[in-house]
Amino acid sequence: MNYKYYILLAGIIFFSAFAKAQEQPSKLIYIESPIERINEEEFPGAILLQKNNNEQVYIEHEGAEMWCDLAFFYKEENFVKAYRNVRLKQGDSVSMRSKYIEYNGKTKFAYAAGDVFLKKDTTTVTTDTMYFNRTTQQAYYRTGGVVTSPNSKITSRVGRYYIEQDKISFISDVVVKNPEYTINSEQLDFYSVPEHAYLYGPTTITSKTSKVYCERGFYDTANDYGYFVKNSRIDYDNRQVYGDSLYFDRNRNFASATNNIKVLDTLNRSLVKGHYAEVYRAKDSVLITQRAVAITVEDNDSVYVHGDKLMLTGKPENRIMRAYKNVKLYKSNMSGKSDSLHSNQRTGLTQMIYKPILWSEESQITGDSIHLISNTETEKIDSLKVFNNAFIAQKDTISGFNQIKGQKLYGFFDDDNALKQVDIINNAETIMYMREDNGDLTGIDRGKSARIEITFFENTIDEINKIKSPGGNIFPESQFLEEPQTFEGFNWRGDERLLSKEDIFKGEAPFTLTKIQGIPLPEIDEGFFSTPDDGEKPPLSENSDISEGTLQNREENKPQYGTESSDDESTKQRESLIERNEKAAQQRATAPTSISTKPKVIPVIKKSGNN
């Protein structure tokens, strides 16, 4: 015959019109059991309840139900210990299994041990030891645990589950496993609905194709995109992307960066900087704007290319750089300007397109287009070509301008990238000031030829050879003053010459950085275990199997990153961030692509004894 043990409400609820409402007495635990015994000698103060072959012990308290094979009920303390095949259910969404549970009906505090498994909707938690506060609806472990959601598996040493918020705060050795990537972090807040993770402290997100580092970030583990704002970096094969703010979409192989951007190409020894960038890994393309500049290391020197927009495309061995609008080029002994620029890593050809101008030390070179050719092995510029309306101008040491013009120009550089020889082909003409070593002017040579060769010494014109059909005259200065002083098309622009790498931004309006929406630090709650004041109820019971001092907060389990302030601003910022990132992901998806504690030993219950 089954016995039913009913325990009614104890205590009296009273109110005072002039004082705060007092704490209501707790409802006593209700228990049903097929077998019920009392053994005061062995288990003083306890009622022993045991299952039979078909029915487990049933326990209920204020919306929570529990089943077990064996229970010890301490009526005076409203406290129960449950053993073997223990199941706990709260409402329709929360359930827990373990080998052992202690539960205090006065504080609604539970302790579970041995293969603990907690489930809420699609989220599960497994651990050796768990504490569950039904009053605050929080579960806590600190001996290591595993949390699973539909798209991720998360392990950590410490975990605090805010059940009503669907939030879990992970601390220490946090690892998120996903088929596509792994997240390692020191601290992480995870919202199981809608599977959003907030990352705090040094964090890496590693996959076969990329690696992300940040010290504060957000990641949508269901839709596979993230946003990172502190010391952030993305490694794509041989590229490294840095920025004050990084957005990353794994499904589209896409990343964008804002403010203080650096895209480092470790293979080609080049760096692209700016304040906004888009990276498409699958297409090997990088687009960068807002004070964009590409820097290429060349034989212990660096070449700087600046434009309103820079685009790098192609594999490392066949990379192409394009620069658009207001292009400027600078290296220590050369600088230039053009409307646009096209550079091919494989062929070593750099094309300056539309209204190009190049300064090689003291020489100004112009034409309809200018090509710079680099040695693909040494990566040093060794020659140049100017097509149509080629023109070289150089200030004379005292007065006037040396000038060379023709249809085409071929130039050659020495090992120091200084201009050493120039060949002018077709309709070549010259105006040259001829001087003695002491600087005395001997005459001005105004000549023409089908082809002219010019050699340079110490960056000045040293010798002119008229190769074919030479002509012209040498004028004394007095007679030359009566002749045209310059050729048609002459336009001296020496004041525009770039004298330092900072000059690539000369004349541009001051740049204002975009305001970055940060990720707020989490609010740090007080410790999971409250410290009872004098006379306050302990979380469990004097008959608990937990050793004294266990239910205390430990400094090593406290979050390292957060703020003690508590207001609604952090929540609003998070909600705004989530909404913004989801909209951005949707837009990009539709837009066209541009470039342990073990349980106690269970006592044996004999059939003899007091009922």
Side-chain angles (χ1 to χ4, degrees), residues 232 241-246 257-263 272-276 288 290 511 513-514 516:
S232 306
V241 183
Y242 301 79
D244 291 354
S245 164
L246 297 179
T258 305
N259 291 354
N260 299 307
I261 307 307
K262 294 191 299 182
V263 182
V272 185
K273 300 170 67 177
H275 294 296
Y276 179 74
I288 192 159
Q290 300 178 6
F511 185 80
L513 294 177
T514 301
I516 299 296

Side-chain angles (χ1 to χ4, degrees), residues 18 32-33 43 47 121 184 206 248 319 321 347 422 448 466 507 510 534 541 546 604:
F18 303 97
E32 291 181 3
S33 174
F43 307 108
I47 300 172
D121 300 324
N184 294 87
T206 307
F248 176 72
R319 190 147 290 164
M321 180 178 69
T347 62
V422 167
K448 60 177 61 178
K466 301 173 184 177
D534 290 342
S541 165
I546 299 177
V604 175

